[in-house]
């Protein structure tokens, strides 16, 4: 069975064009949303996805009606494929129930993966560049090197309560134990 999904972004737009195309394509049931594509929660899409059964095909007028991003689109179609459900986009002539449609979609997936890798590489290069200039990322350390030494000396004195040490240094118990454990393992942690 062909199940249609149509979406418009604003109340000023109309679903007529998409509905006509989906009906002409032979969709037995059509689910709709009147919400921006950037919104994660789309009731019509959720209903359409839950209505689909193995052997069905989800049909959209255009790819951008289904996915918030290329990654979301690929994830959605992959999920459909895993459930034995086909996907068809009328404007782009993509039909994952055919070998040509599967090829096109795999190319999209490869491009999305390539884009993610490029972003990751750029991020890593930026972090390495910042480190080479002496910048250190992450959360600042709770204690200075001098305070760490004081903490370890106080922790070695078994007559002092952990709560008192924490209050004196202005830290929580978790921080206290993290620094004590690091000292036991020979780490500097500062």
């Amino acid at each position: 069975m062909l199940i249609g999904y149509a979406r418009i972004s604003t109340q000023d737009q109309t679903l007529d064009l998409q509905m006509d195309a989906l009906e002409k394509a032979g969709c037995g049931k059509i689910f709709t949303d009147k919400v921006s594509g950037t919104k994660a929660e789309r009731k019509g899409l959720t209903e359409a996805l839950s209505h689909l059964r193995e052997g069905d095909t989800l049909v959209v007028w255009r790819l951008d009606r289904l996915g918030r991003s290329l990654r979301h689109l690929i994830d959605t179609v992959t999920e459909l494929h895993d459930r034995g459900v086909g996907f068809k986009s009328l404007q782009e002539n993509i039909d994952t129930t055919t070998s040509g449609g599967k090829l096109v979609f795999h190319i999209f997936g490869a491009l999305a993966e390539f884009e993610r890798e490029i972003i990751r590489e750029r991020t890593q290069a930026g972090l390495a560049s910042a480190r080479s200039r002496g910048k250190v990322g992450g959360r600042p350390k709770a204690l200075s090197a001098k305070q760490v030494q004081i903490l370890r000396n106080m922790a070695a004195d078994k007559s002092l309560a952990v709560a008192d040490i924490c209050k004196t240094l202005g830290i929580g118990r978790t921080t206290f134990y993290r620094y004590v454990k690091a000292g036991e393992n020979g780490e500097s942690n500062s």
Side-chain angles (χ1 to χ4, degrees):
M1 176 176 203
L2 298 178
I3 305 295
Y5 173 69
R7 180 186 59 79
I8 54 173
S9 300
T10 66
Q11 297 298 329
D12 298 338
Q13 296 172 330
T14 175
L15 286 165
D16 295 344
L17 174 68
Q18 294 178 56
M19 296 291 284
D20 291 345
L22 293 171
E23 287 170 4
K24 186 177 177 186
C27 293
K29 189 151 180 69
I30 300 173
F31 295 87
T32 63
D33 276 318
K34 292 184 180 181
V35 63
S36 169
T38 59
K39 299 291 183 193
E41 187 170 326
R42 293 184 274 168
K43 188 177 177 194
L45 179 58
T46 302
E47 289 174 1
L49 294 175
S50 66
H51 190 80
L52 291 162
R53 301 292 175 252
E54 189 173 341
D56 288 348
T57 300
L58 178 65
V59 183
V60 295
W61 179 65
R62 251 181 30 203
L63 288 174
D64 67 345
R65 300 295 88 198
L66 178 63
R68 297 189 314 265
S69 64
L70 181 58
R71 178 79 254 150
H72 178 255
L73 180 65
I74 290 169
D75 289 346
T76 303
V77 174
T78 301
E79 180 187 320
L80 292 174
H81 178 267
D82 292 346
R83 292 174 46 196
V85 175
F87 172 74
K88 189 174 187 178
S89 174
L90 301 176
Q91 290 295 303
E92 290 84 3
N93 281 327
I94 296 174
D95 185 349
T96 64
T97 62
T98 68
S99 56
K102 286 178 188 171
L103 172 66
V104 168
F105 217 79
H106 285 294
I107 291 170
F108 282 174
L111 290 172
E113 183 69 29
F114 176 70
E115 178 187 28
R116 276 193 309 280
E117 284 298 313
I118 294 292
I119 291 169
R120 190 184 66 73
E121 288 172 8
R122 259 190 257 137
T123 302
Q124 293 300 325
L127 291 171
S129 174
R131 272 189 232 106
S132 72
R133 291 190 312 276
K135 304 242 187 233
V136 179
R139 187 176 182 168
K141 299 293 180 190
L143 300 175
S144 67
K146 185 177 180 180
Q147 289 173 314
V148 170
Q149 192 56 51
I150 294 169
L151 177 140
R152 290 190 179 141
N153 291 338
M154 292 174 84
D157 182 353
K158 300 299 180 192
S159 66
L160 296 174
V162 172
D164 293 335
I165 297 170
C166 291
K167 187 174 183 181
T168 301
L169 295 173
I171 59 172
R173 293 177 85 82
T174 304
T175 303
F176 171 82
Y177 287 113
R178 184 181 327 114
Y179 279 99
V180 169
K181 183 178 181 185
E184 291 169 358
N185 296 335
E187 300 168 14
S188 68
N189 210 356
S190 58

